[in-house]
Amino acid sequence: MWTLKRWNELEEAYHELLLEAEANQILHTTRLTTLTYMILSEFMSYAAPLTVNRGMESVDRILALLPAMQHRACEPFILEDWAEQAGVSTYYFCKLFRKAMSMTPLSFITLCRIQFAKQRLIEKENWPIKDIAGEAGYTSASYFNQKFQEHEGMTPSEFRSLYARGLFG
């Protein structure tokens, strides 16, 4: 089922097609084809599903939270708080998040934290790695090193060293 934003144009094109078909039957196939194409074009341009897909509404709620999640990624991640903001259970939040982003909420937070850490490694080249880990939301420098290695294929120190030598950016 569909709804049309501009029903009048489609109705006029359909009426014109009917008149042509009644008057000339199939004698003017080019004209009938043109009118049929006009109807299809109008439909394709202005048709929308009649009912809103509830699943997409929920996904939109998740997508709307992404900027805030990214902004607060370095804070402790509390799944229940984010699910509450989306107005769903934690289970459903995770399911919707995976549908919207093709990853878990924690994977998204980890990506945001690693991006933040990479920026800090470049900006604060004299800061100890453990301080950058803490700023990025990791209480353990070794866990931070492990996650950084998983995502970047090198340690934070190696990343910093490569950037300092001009091999990045």
Side-chain angles (χ1 to χ4, degrees), residues 148-160:
F148 196 97
Q149 174 86 37
E150 284 175 17
H151 283 270
E152 298 302 316
M154 64 184 82
T155 66
S157 298
E158 290 168 338
F159 174 84
R160 181 184 267 169

Side-chain angles (χ1 to χ4, degrees), residues 4 37 51 134 157:
L4 293 169
Y37 182 77
T51 58
S157 298

Side-chain angles (χ1 to χ4, degrees), residues 7-140:
W7 176 253
N8 290 339
E9 288 86 347
L10 183 67
E11 192 173 28
E12 287 172 16
Y14 183 72
H15 185 67
E16 194 174 341
L17 175 66
L18 285 178
L19 289 176
E20 180 66 27
E22 287 175 353
N24 299 306
Q25 296 183 1
I26 59 168
L27 296 176
H28 299 123
T29 56
T30 305
R31 176 85 174 127
L32 290 173
T33 302
T34 302
L35 291 171
T36 303
Y37 182 77
M38 192 167 73
I39 290 171
L40 291 172
S41 294
E42 288 290 326
F43 182 82
M44 294 300 292
S45 296
Y46 302 108
L50 182 60
T51 58
V52 176
N53 184 337
R54 281 179 28 117
M56 290 312 291
E57 271 182 24
S58 298
V59 166
D60 289 344
R61 281 191 272 167
I62 298 297
L63 295 176
L65 285 176
L66 292 180
M69 290 179 76
Q70 183 177 16
H71 182 72
R72 294 179 43 203
C74 297
E75 298 173 12
F77 179 70
I78 303 169
L79 179 62
E80 292 79 10
D81 291 350
W82 293 107
E84 185 178 320
Q85 284 188 44
V88 296
S89 69
T90 55
Y91 170 80
Y92 196 53
F93 179 81
C94 291
K95 184 175 177 175
L96 288 174
F97 199 96
R98 185 177 290 279
K99 180 178 179 182
M101 297 296 295
S102 300
M103 68 176 70
T104 66
L106 190 55
S107 295
F108 177 76
I109 294 297
T110 300
L111 284 176
C112 294
R113 288 177 175 182
I114 297 298
Q115 268 314 114
F116 176 84
K118 286 168 59 177
Q119 190 66 36
R120 278 294 196 252
L121 287 164
I122 294 165
E123 293 171 351
K124 310 287 185 182
E125 57 191 54
N126 295 324
W127 275 28
I129 300 294
K130 68 178 179 73
D131 291 350
I132 291 174
E135 259 200 356
Y138 293 96
T139 55
S140 163

